[in-house]
Amino acid sequence: MSKLTATAPCTTHAAMVEKTGEVVPQALLARRVAWLTALARDLAGCLVAARWNPADLDGLAGGVGLDGRVLPSKGWMAVRRLGWGVGPEPGVYICDRVLRCAQEQAARLLRLALHRRRLVEAIVATWPHNPGARTDAEWDALRALLPDGVTAAEIRNRTRQIRAYRDEHEVFPADLTELEEPPNVAAQVVLAAADRQLLTLERTGHRSARLRVRLPLVESPASPRDWAWHVLPVVLPPTVPPEARLCAPTLRVTKGRVRVDLPFQILIGFVPATGHMIGCGFDWGLNGLLTGVVGRLVADGRVISGGRVIGDGRPLLYDASGVSAKLHRLRAEREHLAAKIQRQQRLLAGMTAADPRYAALSAAYQVLGVEHERLCARIRNLNKALAWSAARWAVDQAVAAGTTVIYLEDLATLEARGRRGNANTRLSGQIRGQIVEAIRHLAAKHAIAVVTVPARGTSRYCPRCGDGTSVLKHCPAPDRLTDKGWRWAYCPACGLSCDRDRAAAERIVSRGLLGQNATRTHRSTGVRTIHAIVEGNVARARRTRKPTRAARRARRTRTDLHPDRQHATEPRTAPPQNGPPAPQPTHETTR
């Protein structure tokens, strides 16, 4: 058994002061939580800004404290072992547990900076002759220096950032601290570093919990008397099962409401990396967001190299064209608002406060800014909802088919190319990472493994013949095989004619089932990946349908399911012709 950790977003609307019994309304509670988050943010920001230099980052990356001991995994303990002290402003009283939370948040930001720093160092050390198109040898040299799990999008974005710095300064950046400013610290308090002296959390029912935390009574507390224990009732969403273990949350204020990001842990079964006989492969399609097929490995009851994969011939399609069109309209509106905001910024820059038009233009500028923020939030929420909807659909299809593994294309080897104007291409390129994480989370609850396979060539080669040598011909439709297109796939060698995404999904499940012995599991993240490409053909065989209730009743009673067929042997009369009806023959009786 292993543990699965998830976070449930909760909201609390009121609180009660434990000592006096005073009921704290939502507005006052949000103000007090905002004071606490502001104190933690200021402390974390000062610590990050003070240690944003190559020497301190080298000390954190070395993993050894001032006393020669290894740095612990907890961020606030590592910061204290390095001797990085930070304190509040003079006259402000903050307990040690709040200081821990600020140090934990700062340590997490600095450790994330170490990851970005390693990416920058690897890209600078292997700078290609043409940054826009690296050769295979340049890619191999870069991948050898990069950590596992780095996507092509991260490499592309960092390359553009370094190129812009070189074009401006005519030299490469010596370190990440020259390339970037210190990161901004979010207005939140990470209570995972605290103990019972700052908070307690207990579950009071299937859908309720009780959070007890110390909050400041004033904006700048000067003594312990300016702090008080508050009891916050928290309503748990249905996604938190009754047997889940609740962990210390993170508090933040959003739009005047107190948000409680509550982590919880549930026990899940262990899923082996190999030994799968039935798998489900999904392709990030151009015609649809997700296209999948179910494949079965047939190799004399054993999983061996050189087996045979058989599909049931039924594609699984998730159509997001409606949501994609809506998101496209929202993005167009966002770009229009951004252009108007930029124009008003230029107009305001050329005016003074004494200008009579300045007040009206400034008010319009603020209104547009609020509308732009709301539109961006709407797009983010819609993307998140679509990602989880697609992930639930994919996992439900895998559970219904009885599969034990889901195969996806590796995003580290996949980039959107070709038709940028297609709505599904833009949509899938933005939410693929969210869908992968959601599928991993939901599949773990059903003891289904999620493995990524190389994406190169999945839409190019025929899954029916050639073992990766027969190149598919892409055309607009099955009745236009001679025209150039991208929606339909046709194989001139074997005559295969099917949807392009369906052919790619069959090759994905074939690579996964045949190459599962080469599955590698990342130590820290647990992500499973197959880097070796094992090609194999996929045969289609329809699954036998179960007899209906009427067929089972007819078999049990030994009756004909279709009684009209008993007259099928009788001669049929000729259909009537145009004109008067033909005379009917008469039969005389002989006496």
Side-chain angles (χ1 to χ4, degrees):
M1 301 292 291
S2 58
K3 295 181 181 179
L4 177 65
T5 303
T7 301
C10 308
T11 304
T12 180
H13 302 282
M16 183 186 67
V17 180
E18 188 179 47
K19 185 177 182 179
T20 62
E22 175 191 359
V23 177
V24 182
Q26 181 177 355
L28 182 57
L29 176 63
R31 192 156 57 247
R32 292 180 178 179
V33 173
W35 293 339
L36 177 62
T37 57
L39 293 173
R41 178 191 58 191
D42 294 341
L43 291 172
C46 293
L47 181 58
V48 172
R51 304 301 170 182
W52 193 252
N53 55 78
D56 290 334
L57 291 180
D58 289 339
L60 181 60
V64 180
L66 297 178
D67 54 358
R69 292 185 297 172
V70 179
L71 296 180
S73 59
K74 294 184 178 180
W76 66 272
M77 295 180 63
V79 167
R80 295 189 176 186
R81 190 165 294 182
L82 287 170
W84 295 351
V86 61
E89 297 180 359
V92 178
Y93 172 79
I94 295 178
C95 64
D96 181 71
R97 300 312 185 262
V98 176
L99 185 59
R100 282 187 186 181
C101 298
Q103 291 172 342
E104 178 69 27
Q105 189 173 0
R108 294 182 181 184
L109 291 176
L110 292 175
R111 283 176 170 173
L112 287 176
L114 293 180
H115 175 73
R116 299 196 301 272
R117 187 190 192 198
R118 187 175 176 182
L119 264 64
V120 171
E121 292 176 352
I123 294 175
V124 171
T126 60
W127 189 255
H129 179 71
N130 182 9
R134 288 183 173 89
T135 62
D136 294 339
E138 292 172 344
W139 274 111
D140 294 340
L142 178 59
R143 291 287 184 186
L145 299 179
L146 291 176
D148 296 336
V150 178
T151 63
E154 292 181 274
I155 299 174
R156 181 175 62 250
N157 295 336
R158 291 298 166 184
T159 304
R160 292 173 179 172
Q161 185 184 25
I162 296 172
R163 185 195 304 175
Y165 182 91
R166 188 194 62 173
D167 295 342
E168 181 179 358
H169 299 84
E170 298 182 355
V171 292
F172 287 105
D175 196 83
L176 178 68
T177 56
E178 294 185 2
L179 191 63
E180 296 180 357
E181 295 293 331
N184 297 326
V185 181
Q188 62 182 13
V189 53
V190 182
L191 298 176
D195 55 9
R196 290 181 175 271
Q197 296 187 22
L198 184 62
L199 88 154
T200 59
L201 178 64
E202 60 179 353
R203 192 162 190 164
T204 58
H206 292 289
R207 296 287 303 277
S208 61
R210 179 175 175 267
L211 176 64
R212 181 172 168 266
V213 61
R214 291 183 65 184
L215 297 177
L217 302 178
V218 294
E219 185 175 2
S220 299
S223 65
R225 293 189 300 271
D226 295 333
W227 294 77
W229 286 98
H230 291 66
V231 179
L232 285 68
V234 179
V235 179
L236 304 179
T239 54
V240 182
E243 67 277 4
R245 174 180 173 271
L246 303 182
C247 305
T250 298
L251 295 181
R252 54 188 174 90
V253 179
T254 304
K255 297 180 180 180
R257 295 185 178 182
V258 178
R259 303 293 184 181
V260 182
D261 297 331
L262 184 62
F264 63 94
Q265 295 179 347
I266 57 176
L267 296 177
I268 58 175
F270 174 75
V271 183
T274 60
H276 303 288
M277 302 299 296
I278 304 178
C280 193
F282 291 97
D283 173 65
W284 308 109
L286 296 177
N287 304 332
L289 182 59
L290 278 178
T291 303
V293 295
V294 178
R296 183 185 300 271
L297 182 63
V298 180
D300 299 332
R302 298 173 297 167
V303 180
I304 59 176
S305 178
R308 186 185 182 192
V309 179
I310 298 179
D312 59 0
R314 299 172 185 173
L316 310 174
L317 305 176
Y318 183 84
D319 186 13
S321 56
V323 181
S324 175
K326 184 175 183 179
L327 285 171
H328 181 50
R329 293 193 299 268
L330 292 177
R331 293 192 194 100
E333 185 177 355
R334 180 185 61 184
E335 294 174 0
H336 178 65
L337 287 177
K340 294 179 67 176
I341 290 174
Q342 292 178 0
R343 182 176 180 274
Q344 290 188 356
Q345 285 178 348
R346 293 192 298 267
L347 293 176
L348 288 173
M351 295 182 182
T352 60
D355 195 320
R357 300 171 297 176
Y358 185 84
L361 189 60
S362 178
Y365 173 76
Q366 294 178 0
V367 171
L368 287 179
V370 173
E371 185 64 24
H372 185 268
E373 292 180 358
R374 292 178 178 176
L375 192 59
C376 293
R378 187 178 180 186
I379 293 175
R380 288 194 303 269
N381 295 334
L382 193 57
N383 279 335
K384 182 179 179 181
L386 178 60
W388 281 94
S389 175
R392 289 189 186 96
W393 172 85
V395 175
D396 290 344
Q397 296 294 332
V399 171
T403 61
T404 58
V405 61
I406 295 176
Y407 294 108
L408 302 171
E409 288 180 296
D410 191 358
L411 297 181
T413 61
L414 182 66
E415 292 189 38
R417 298 178 180 177
R419 294 179 59 89
R420 295 278 184 173
N422 181 265
N424 283 313
T425 303
R426 293 192 302 269
L427 180 63
S428 61
Q430 292 183 359
I431 64 174
R432 283 172 178 170
Q434 299 181 26
I435 295 177
V436 172
E437 295 299 328
I439 289 178
R440 287 197 179 104
H441 176 77
L442 297 176
K445 297 181 179 180
H446 298 278
I448 297 178
V450 179
V451 185
T452 58
V453 300
R456 183 179 296 274
T458 53
S459 300
R460 182 181 181 185
Y461 300 106
C462 177
R464 183 74 63 84
C465 67
D467 291 336
T469 58
S470 298
V471 179
L472 291 173
K473 180 181 179 181
H474 296 149
C475 52
D479 56 346
R480 299 168 58 188
L481 300 180
T482 58
D483 299 340
K484 291 183 179 181
W486 51 275
R487 287 181 176 272
W488 201 258
Y490 170 71
C491 180
C494 65
L496 174 67
S497 180
C498 66
D499 185 83
R500 168 192 177 135
D501 301 337
R502 179 182 177 184
E506 289 182 345
R507 183 152 292 282
I508 290 172
V509 72
S510 173
R511 287 183 178 182
L513 290 176
L514 296 178
Q516 58 183 299
N517 290 332
T519 305
R520 298 294 180 265
T521 304
H522 196 272
R523 288 185 177 181
S524 59
T525 62
V527 175
R528 291 173 175 173
T529 308
I530 298 177
H531 296 289
I533 298 179
V534 181
E535 300 290 2
N537 300 333
V538 179
R540 294 179 183 176
R542 286 278 187 177
R543 288 179 294 180
T544 57
R545 295 181 179 272
K546 295 182 179 180
T548 61
R549 183 180 300 177
R552 293 195 300 268
R553 185 186 302 111
R555 185 184 304 173
R556 184 173 61 255
T557 58
R558 296 183 179 180
T559 57
D560 194 353
L561 183 62
H562 305 283
D564 294 338
R565 291 184 178 180
Q566 61 185 358
H567 305 290
T569 57
E570 297 182 0
R572 297 182 179 180
T573 58
Q577 301 178 357
N578 296 334
Q584 298 294 332
T586 58
H587 301 278
E588 297 181 357
T589 303
T590 303
R591 296 183 180 178

